[in-house]
Amino acid sequence: MASPDTTWKLSLFAPKKIVQDALLAHDLIEDWDPDLVIAGREVAEDQPDDWVLEGWLPRKPGKAEKAALAGLFTGKAPKVVIEELPPTDWVTLSQQGTPPIRAGRFHVHTPEYPADPQAIDFTIPASQAFGTGQHRTTAGCLEMLGTMKASGLIARNIADIGTGTGLLGFAALALWPHAKCTLTDIDPVCAPVVEENAALNAIPLGPRAGEAVMIVADGMDDPLITVRGPYDLLIANILAGPLVELAPDFARAVAPGGSLLLAGLLAGEQEAAVKQAMRRAGFRPAARLQNGDWAILWLRRRRGWSHAR
């Protein structure tokens, strides 16, 4: 979550593969400072091999923070460039004025843009939660949900783990309007954001079929998530590290023959690690798509498979 207070930004420029390896190293660190939020991106569209690892901190960075970022790189780390940003809600600012996206059957836009009557339309304002559809992982999930529906998949009980704005859960409920839908996120700020977006998009909130329930929880760690399962469609657009850790929990939560939609992982090493963890948990691949450097995976839980194996 971005803070409206002063933020400090740390940037480390390196080739694409080196930054991606650093992101993978970050996923494996369990005691990372939660105040130091990082992301990687290409410097410009016409420089696809030139990337930057960016970190944001709500206080002036010291030696520990700079060392933590440098430690993600093997060999000599790039120079850390530090800048103080003015008091701004950077998540909201980055999302304001962003153009609408079309992902498969879905059209997602901020309130400044008109709806598309030819698509399944969602209005998602700039907010303190992530998931407006602009990121390639979110757009890829929307496209994959349409593929699932077109393939004949029937979903009666849906969960969206790490829901952010609620968009992916809302999209699944639009495709399977008679399903129960459970939305979860570790960040408490997401609860009012989801409620606001549900009202804006006429998504009913409640425990019954055709309605969505919002739960603040760390991963799958909430008894209500268990009680509302098992799920025949579970969505998790988070990060590769948590996906690997949650594989056994997903196996317990997804019904035999049920579907798992995963995103937030880079194609390559992260994808391979997630696939291996899911295979061990009893999931088999059903479909895959790639949006830029990001892989989106549809997996099915094997029938008769015990997650304890």
Side-chain angles (χ1 to χ4, degrees):
M1 183 187 74
S3 169
D5 300 323
T6 300
T7 301
W8 293 79
K9 180 180 176 183
L10 303 91
S11 303
L12 296 87
F13 295 87
K16 172 181 173 180
K17 179 65 166 58
I18 294 176
V19 172
Q20 290 183 345
D21 287 345
L23 292 170
L24 181 61
H26 168 263
D27 285 347
L28 301 176
I29 298 176
E30 296 182 358
D31 58 348
W32 185 264
D33 182 353
D35 287 338
L36 182 55
V37 179
I38 74 166
R41 63 174 178 86
E42 58 187 28
V43 173
E45 289 188 5
D46 59 348
Q47 298 173 253
D49 293 324
D50 296 330
W51 274 47
V52 57
L53 178 73
E54 296 174 319
W56 293 269
L57 196 67
R59 61 182 184 273
K60 186 175 181 179
K63 291 183 179 179
E65 290 79 16
K66 290 186 282 186
L69 288 175
L72 298 176
F73 294 84
T74 57
K76 185 178 180 180
K79 178 183 177 182
V80 181
V81 179
I82 300 175
E83 57 182 314
E84 181 181 0
L85 305 177
T88 308
D89 183 343
W90 289 96
V91 174
T92 299
L93 183 63
S94 69
Q95 294 171 358
Q96 286 177 344
T98 52
I101 68 154
R102 183 68 183 260
R105 300 173 61 178
F106 298 97
H107 179 255
V108 185
H109 59 96
T110 56
E112 298 85 39
Y113 292 91
D116 181 353
Q118 304 301 318
I120 301 175
D121 192 88
F122 288 106
T123 302
I124 304 292
S127 69
Q128 290 181 305
F130 292 92
T132 61
Q134 294 296 326
H135 197 279
R136 287 178 173 177
T137 61
T138 307
C141 285
L142 291 172
E143 185 176 344
M144 185 65 86
L145 284 171
T147 298
M148 291 172 151
K149 177 69 175 182
S151 73
L153 179 71
I154 297 174
R156 298 183 178 90
N157 197 5
I158 300 165
D160 179 12
I161 309 301
T163 192
T165 61
L167 174 60
L168 294 180
F170 296 166
L173 202 53
L175 294 175
W176 296 279
H178 301 296
K180 292 194 305 181
C181 185
T182 304
L183 312 173
T184 81
D185 204 286
I186 192 174
D187 193 340
V189 78
C190 294
V193 170
V194 166
E195 291 176 3
E196 175 187 347
N197 290 336
L200 194 59
N201 291 281
I203 303 294
L205 298 178
R208 298 171 297 184
E211 299 176 339
V213 166
M214 176 66 197
I215 302 170
V216 177
D218 183 358
M220 305 291 289
D221 189 18
D222 189 283
L224 189 54
I225 299 175
T226 302
V227 168
R228 287 178 61 82
Y231 303 95
D232 43 28
L233 171 56
L234 189 148
I235 306 163
N237 179 18
I238 44 179
L239 293 170
L243 288 176
V244 170
E245 294 175 4
L246 288 168
D249 293 329
F250 290 163
R252 285 186 283 268
V254 175
S259 291
L260 188 60
L261 173 55
L262 303 180
L265 51 140
L266 290 164
E269 293 182 15
Q270 289 189 1
E271 180 182 0
V274 170
K275 283 182 174 179
Q276 182 181 39
M278 296 303 159
R279 184 169 58 251
R280 289 175 176 171
F283 292 94
R284 59 177 176 81
R288 174 192 184 274
L289 66 84
Q290 186 167 334
N291 197 344
D293 294 301
W294 303 91
I296 291 85
L297 306 178
W298 172 16
L299 305 117
R300 304 292 292 264
R301 186 183 166 201
R302 293 186 178 94
R303 298 181 185 274
W305 182 275
S306 171
H307 68 266
R309 291 186 183 184

